[in-house]
Amino acid sequence: MKGIVFGESPRWHDGRLWFSDWGAHQVIALAADGSHEVVVTVPSFPMCIDFLPDGRLLVVDSAQRRILRREPDGSLVEHARLAGITDKPWNEIVVDDRGNAYVNSIGFDFPGGDFAPGLVALVTADGEVSQVADDLAFPNGMAISPDGSTLIVAESYANQLTAYDIRADGRLDSRHVWAETPGDHPDGICLDAEGAVWYADVANKHCVRVRAGGAVLATAFTDRGAFSCALSRGADPRLFIVGQNYGGPGSPEPSGQVVAFPAPAPGAGRP
C-alpha cells in the first residue's frame, strides 16, 4: 500500500494488517488483496494501537493523554486516563492476554525538547493506571512473550532491547538487557514463533531479526525509514514493514508505504 502520510504501529488482527496513519489521523485495516478500510479517525499524534482479548480496538490518544476503546457498534469511549502519570507524549501500547495494557511515554517533547528518560505505565483490565517502569532512553516498540511472562521494550536511544519479568499482578521487575543493537536505534518490534524479535530502524532503513543476547539472524532492507513491523500468523508468514522518508527535504506527495517480505517464522505473543 502506498500514499500513507505517516505509518506506524502495525498489528496483525483477524487476517488483516491494521496500522495507524499518524499524519492522516486514521486507523486503517489492510487486506491481502490490497483493499483497505479506514476503521476510525482520531485527531492525535502519536496514536498507537492494539487489541483487547475480546477484539476491541484500543487507541492511544496522546494529544488528550488517554486511551480510547472502540466498541462493537463502532463508537469510541474513554478506556483510561493517562494524564495523572505524565504530561509528556505517550507512544506505544501492547495488551496482554488478561486485558492489561502497557503504554509508554518517551519522557520529553520530541522533536526539539531536551532529552529526559521515559516510562511505562500499566492500565489494568479494571481501569487502574500506575507507573511500572522508568529511566528508559526513548521507549518505543513493545512486545509480550507468548507465555505472558516477559515484556520487551525497544530503547531507541540506548541501542538495545530491554526486558522485564511480568508479575502475576501485572507489575514489572527484574529489568535486564534482552539484546544490544549496536549502531541501530530500534523502533517498532514484534516477536516470532521461534523466540526471535524483529526490530525496525528508521535511520538505517532496515528491519533486523535478533535472538536474545543479540545474535543477528536476518535483515530486511527498505528504501526509506523503517518505523515498525508486524508478522502474520499461520502458514506462509510475512513480515510487514511500515515506513516513509524521514528527514531531509519534504515531498509534496506522501511517502509512507507498507511492504511485505517472506518471513522464516510467523508472529507470536503480543501484539
Side-chain angles (χ1 to χ4, degrees):
M1 181 177 173
K2 297 181 179 180
I4 300 160
V5 182
F6 196 116
E8 257 283 11
S9 196
R11 304 288 188 259
W12 184 259
H13 178 70
D14 281 350
R16 295 192 292 177
L17 183 75
W18 297 57
F19 66 95
S20 295
D21 186 340
W22 288 2
H25 308 298
Q26 297 173 339
V27 176
I28 296 169
L30 175 62
D33 63 2
S35 63
H36 70 274
E37 171 192 3
V38 176
V39 179
V40 69
T41 298
V42 178
S44 186
F45 190 109
M47 47 173 291
C48 292
I49 62 171
D50 203 14
F51 295 88
L52 290 167
D54 63 9
R56 286 178 295 173
L57 174 71
L58 295 184
V59 181
V60 177
D61 179 2
S62 183
Q64 300 299 322
R65 298 194 291 277
R66 61 182 179 172
I67 299 174
L68 300 174
R69 185 180 70 245
R70 184 174 183 265
E71 295 295 83
D73 64 1
S75 62
L76 286 176
V77 300
E78 188 171 277
H79 183 74
R81 294 290 302 171
L82 303 171
I85 303 296
T86 181
D87 62 357
K88 298 303 180 184
W90 292 91
N91 192 21
E92 272 282 12
I93 183 173
V94 65
V95 183
D96 71 12
D97 290 336
R98 298 174 293 179
N100 291 330
Y102 296 89
V103 57
N104 62 41
S105 169
I106 64 174
F108 65 103
D109 294 318
F110 178 86
D114 293 332
F115 170 78
L119 58 87
V120 178
L122 167 66
V123 180
T124 63
D126 58 8
E128 180 183 345
V129 181
S130 60
Q131 182 176 324
V132 291
D134 59 11
D135 198 28
L136 290 157
F138 203 127
N140 232 313
M142 296 188 292
I144 296 173
S145 60
D147 64 2
S149 67
T150 304
L151 174 74
I152 301 173
V153 183
E155 282 195 86
S156 296
Y157 281 11
N159 310 100
Q160 67 185 27
L161 304 176
T162 298
Y164 299 86
D165 293 344
I166 300 176
R167 301 186 337 202
D169 61 2
R171 302 190 72 81
L172 305 177
D173 58 22
S174 303
R175 174 176 177 164
H176 58 282
V177 176
W178 195 88
E180 294 181 347
T181 63
D184 279 356
H185 303 282
D187 198 320
I189 66 173
C190 60
L191 275 162
D192 72 21
E194 295 179 355
V197 167
W198 284 95
Y199 68 80
D201 183 282
V202 177
N204 290 309
K205 300 180 181 179
H206 62 203
C207 281
V208 180
R209 184 177 185 239
V210 294
R211 288 206 183 280
V216 173
L217 304 176
T219 304
F221 296 96
T222 65
D223 65 351
R224 63 203 69 194
F227 279 76
S228 193
C229 52
L231 287 159
S232 64
R233 306 295 170 111
D236 192 26
R238 291 289 184 268
L239 173 73
F240 297 95
I241 301 174
V242 294
Q244 44 270 322
N245 295 329
Y246 188 74
S251 169
E253 299 296 326
S255 68
Q257 65 178 17
V258 177
V259 295
F261 292 83
R270 305 285 299 222

